[in-house]
Amino acid sequence: MASSGEEPRSGSPSRVGTGTEPAAAAEAAQLDTAEDFEVLEEEEEEEDEDDLSELPPLEDVGRPPAPPREDAQPPEQGAGGAAGDPQEWLDVLGNGLLKKKTLVPGQGVDSRPQKGQDVTIRLKATLEDGTVVEEDPALTFTLGDCDVLQALDLCVQLLEMGETALIVSEAKYCYGAQGRSPDIPPNASLTLEVELLAARDAPDLELLSGKEKIQLANRKRERGNFFYQQADYVLAINSYDIALRIVGSSSKVDFSPDEEAELLDVKVKCLNNLAASQLKLDHFKAALKSCNLVLEHQPGNIKALFRKGKVLAQQGEYREAIPILKAALKLEPSNKTIHAELSKLVKKHADQRNVETEMYRKMLGNPGAASTPRKCKDKLPWSIPWKWLFGATAIALGGVALSVVIAARN
């Protein structure tokens, strides 16, 4: 799908500048050298056992979003005249958090764009104090794919061709509690001035060149990474699924071996990140499937092995999880994260076996019954040898038999 600009790493609706600043580049380089796979959250009592904070949760993630400010206050009514005549404003979702007002009418309802089309808009975004934080004369994105802010994705489909509208959105449909460093603070409402310039059908995936398909899939994957960092795992899964559909789509164009290899690399990254998102939502079956798909292509993929072990561990399948983590550790013996996880699982497995053993013992009877004969023997002041006891029993039986014979003769 064509675009007039690159897909923003940090979720910006129109620019990549925040991901290419020197400080951000240095931080991204540090992430690339770290152990780059997701570490699931443990129980509270286990959080202090291992410090895994140096591990970025996803592959090729840019600068993580800024943490929420402690002094952040709930946003007030958005700027841009929202306090004017309430009948001029359309409450898009019915919750008062996203409103739209037409400034310049368009060409009619029939000219509205459809989901799946590539749309081009003119955008100007401002904070409540009037500070301009975004301007793009021709931003192009796929409507309905969550490629941009939710406020835009939801409202642009309501615009008529040529219409200019004012959109006032609370932080929930923009950059949320994290904001976007350095220009958009946490919990910031935005006013978006939008003009719909064009709408056209998306290009046929079968006709994309290898390079175009790789670029498009990577844009969707990076968008998924943004949603993951925002802790919106449902939208992250949506973006990764779109990227995987692009990679897996049939093609009428021949790709070079290098392009084929790069497409496979994008697919593996999407599947690994998809598994991480599915784990966050406790979708264990889906996460296990994603890990297995990675391992079909790359049996030695450490991230997939680690996540598969985590999935099985979350389901209490310690016996199956332990050899998988051992295989990952064999591939990377110095990996502290795998060491820590494997140690936990071994302990949990031992505890599980002890519990099962005790349960079986109770099912079979008194767990202390095995020691009863010895205790009884110790209490007897004397004992009769079994040979004497056998002989006495035989003599008694013989006497009874003789008595019976004599009685019969009489």
Side-chain angles (χ1 to χ4, degrees):
M1 302 175 188
S3 175
S4 61
E6 295 179 77
E7 177 68 14
R9 269 182 197 274
S10 60
S12 165
S14 63
R15 71 182 184 190
V16 191
T18 57
T20 57
E21 297 167 1
E27 188 167 310
Q30 293 176 359
L31 293 178
D32 290 340
T33 59
E35 296 167 13
D36 189 18
F37 48 78
E38 170 67 7
V39 177
L40 297 180
E41 296 176 355
E42 300 293 338
E43 300 294 334
E44 292 183 2
E45 63 268 20
E46 296 178 350
E47 288 182 351
D48 295 333
E49 295 180 7
D50 301 289
D51 182 12
L52 307 178
S53 59
E54 77 275 9
L55 299 177
L58 293 169
E59 303 185 54
D60 299 341
V61 174
R63 182 183 59 215
R69 296 186 312 187
E70 295 181 357
D71 59 346
Q73 299 296 326
E76 300 177 357
Q77 179 63 47
D85 185 358
Q87 294 183 354
E88 296 180 0
W89 289 88
L90 172 65
D91 190 347
V92 176
L93 300 175
N95 57 10
L97 302 180
L98 182 62
K99 297 181 179 181
K100 168 189 171 291
K101 180 170 72 172
T102 299
L103 299 180
V104 178
Q107 300 173 11
V109 176
D110 292 340
S111 66
R112 288 179 177 177
Q114 302 297 316
K115 287 185 178 180
Q117 288 187 314
D118 283 354
V119 297
T120 302
I121 63 172
R122 176 183 62 81
L123 173 68
K124 180 180 179 181
T126 59
L127 297 174
E128 291 180 292
D129 61 5
T131 302
V132 178
V133 292
E134 204 75 58
E135 273 193 290
D136 195 319
L139 169 64
T140 299
F141 60 94
T142 305
L143 191 60
D145 275 9
C146 299
D147 291 342
V148 291
L149 299 179
Q150 283 185 278
L152 285 174
D153 217 25
L154 292 168
C155 292
V156 168
Q157 56 189 294
L158 302 176
L159 297 181
E160 301 170 2
M161 190 60 60
E163 177 182 351
T164 299
L166 205 60
I167 299 169
V168 176
S169 175
E170 296 296 317
K172 179 178 181 179
Y173 304 109
C174 295
Y175 291 96
Q178 285 92 354
R180 188 190 70 187
S181 178
D183 51 355
I184 299 178
N187 297 310
S189 299
L190 289 181
T191 298
L192 311 171
E193 184 179 312
V194 182
E195 179 183 2
L196 180 58
L197 302 176
R200 60 186 179 277
D201 291 338
D204 189 345
L205 294 178
E206 291 186 342
L207 301 179
L208 292 179
S209 67
K211 183 178 180 181
E212 290 171 332
K213 183 173 282 193
I214 291 167
Q215 290 176 341
L216 180 59
N218 269 324
R219 285 202 298 270
K220 305 298 183 180
R221 178 180 60 83
E222 289 170 3
R223 190 63 184 171
N225 291 355
F226 165 77
F227 285 125
Y228 188 97
Q229 294 287 2
Q230 296 285 336
D232 197 333
Y233 306 116
V234 173
L235 290 181
I237 288 173
N238 176 72
S239 294
Y240 295 137
D241 280 337
I242 293 174
L244 288 169
R245 285 201 300 270
I246 294 170
V247 172
S249 62
S250 60
S251 179
K252 297 178 180 178
V253 180
D254 293 331
F255 299 154
S256 69
D258 288 343
E259 289 172 337
E260 292 283 2
E262 196 167 351
L263 281 169
L264 178 59
D265 182 62
V266 174
K267 180 179 180 179
V268 166
K269 289 179 178 179
C270 286
L271 286 170
N272 264 329
N273 294 349
L274 180 62
S277 302
Q278 291 163 336
L279 276 169
K280 288 293 187 180
L281 297 175
D282 293 339
H283 294 171
F284 300 128
K285 184 177 181 180
L288 188 61
K289 180 180 179 181
S290 298
C291 292
N292 286 334
L293 287 173
V294 174
L295 295 173
E296 286 180 9
H297 296 291
Q298 298 178 358
N301 188 290
I302 295 177
K303 299 179 183 69
L305 288 170
F306 179 80
R307 290 193 177 110
K308 183 174 181 178
K310 293 290 291 186
V311 171
L312 294 171
Q314 289 289 320
Q315 295 178 301
E317 303 291 343
Y318 304 128
R319 182 177 300 175
E320 290 77 8
I322 289 173
I324 293 174
L325 290 180
K326 284 183 177 179
L329 189 61
K330 186 176 181 180
L331 293 171
E332 194 170 315
S334 61
N335 192 302
K336 297 179 181 179
T337 304
I338 302 177
H339 267 292
E341 184 62 26
L342 186 56
S343 297
K344 291 178 183 178
L345 290 191
V346 170
K347 182 179 183 301
K348 289 180 178 179
H349 187 214
D351 294 341
Q352 184 185 61
R353 291 177 63 183
N354 290 336
V355 171
E356 291 176 352
T357 300
E358 184 64 24
M359 179 181 66
Y360 293 147
R361 186 176 295 169
K362 289 181 179 179
M363 289 173 61
L364 295 174
N366 186 352
S371 60
T372 301
R374 183 180 57 83
K375 292 183 179 180
C376 293
K377 181 179 179 181
D378 293 341
K379 291 181 179 180
L380 290 175
W382 50 270
S383 61
I384 302 175
W386 68 270
K387 293 182 179 180
W388 290 96
L389 183 61
F390 178 77
T393 303
I395 293 172
L397 290 175
V400 171
L402 182 61
S403 300
V404 172
V405 172
I406 295 173
R409 289 180 176 178
N410 295 335

